[in-house]
Amino acid sequence: MRATVMFGAGDVRIESVPDASIIEPTDAVVTVTRACICGSDLWPYQKMEQSENGRLMGHEAIGIVEAVGADVRTIKAGDLVVMPFAFSDGTCVFCRAGLHTSCIHGGFFGTPEVAGAQAEAVRIPLADGTLFVLPTGKDDALMPSLLTLSDVMGTGHHAAVIARVGPGKTAAVVGDGAVGLCAVIAARRLGAEQIIILGRHPDRIALAREFGATDVVSERGAEAVERVRELTAGFGVHSVLECVGTEQSMHTAISIARPGGAVGRVGVPQEQTIPGSEPAFYNNVMVGGGHAPVRAYIEELLPDVLEGKINPGRVFDRTAGLDQVPDGYRAMNQREAIKVMVKP
Ligand SMILES: [Zn+2]
C-alpha cells in the first residue's frame, strides 16, 4: 500500500510500504477514506533529523473497517469509524476515568510502534476500545467536521475543559491554528461570554469571529498582555486556552489569566520548562492540560456535529490526494493552508 513517510525535516514522501494487517487478535484494519495533516506534524517537519527508514505519519482518520482480529467484539467489517489519535483499551483505570491518552495498554498512531494514517490503510490496535462507529455514510456532507473528532475539535474542547470555561466567563485562545479555532468553538459551546483570540492571520481571524470570537489581539508578548488587560477591565481572563506550545505562547497564556484563573494547555510543548512561574504563583493561576483524551469526548461532541450546532470542519481549507500530501505539509508550514484534508 502507499503511505506518507517523513525522512527528515522538510522531507516527506509517498512510499510503498507493507500492507496494514492484523497482528494482534484485538486489532482491526481500516481502509482510510479521510485523513489529515496536523499542526503537530509540523514540529518534526521543521526539526526531524534525517533518518534512513523514516516515520509513517498521520494520526487522524475516518475509514471503513476491512478486517478484525479474533478477539474484537464490538467492531465489525463494514463499519464506518473515526480513529482518535491515540489507541486505548477503554477498560483500564485511566480509560474509565476518561483519560484515554494515559491508557496503560495504549499508545499513539504515527510513531515507531504503530504506523500512521496518512495512508491507504491503517492497523488499529485495541479496536474495541479505540474506534468509534459513526452513524453516517462515508461521503456524508458532515465528513470534515466528523474528521475533527479524531483530534483538533476534541483537543480544543480539552483546552476549554481544563481552563474551566463556563457560562458568563471570559476566555482567551492563544493561537489561530486549527486547534485554536476549534478552541473558540469549544469556549462558545461551553458558554463563555467574551472570547478573545490571539492570532495574526487575517483568514484565520475571520473564521475565529464566525466561530464566536468577540475580540482579536494581534500583538505579541508584553503588548498582547496589555491589550487583553484593556479588554477585561484590567484583570485578565478567567480561562486561557493555550494552543501553540512555544515558550512565548505559554508565557503570554499565563500572563493573561486573571487571579484565580486557569490555563488549559494543549499545544505540544517545545521546551522542557514552563515559563511564567512568577505570574502563575502570584495570581494563583492553575496551569494544566496535556494530550487530549479525544476518545472520551466523541460521545459528547458528536451530537452537536450531527445537528449542525458546531461546524469545526470549516478549518479544512484544502483537500489533497496522497500524492499531494508532501505539498500539503509545505503549504501548512508556510501558513498557506490552515489544515489539509487527505483523501487517499
Ligand atoms: Zn485504558
Side-chain angles (χ1 to χ4, degrees), residues 306-318:
L306 294 175
E307 289 164 28
K309 286 185 184 164
I310 60 173
N311 197 355
R314 294 187 60 202
V315 299
F316 293 106
D317 55 352
R318 188 177 290 210

Side-chain angles (χ1 to χ4, degrees), residues 88-92 95 103-104:
S88 55
D89 59 13
T91 55
C92 79
C95 285
C103 176
I104 58 178

Side-chain angles (χ1 to χ4, degrees), residues 203-226:
D203 54 332
R204 299 169 185 217
I205 296 299
L207 193 51
R209 282 196 183 277
E210 288 184 51
F211 284 160
T214 55
D215 299 278
V216 176
V217 169
S218 296
E219 290 84 351
R220 279 188 175 170
E223 281 175 52
V225 175
E226 194 54 38

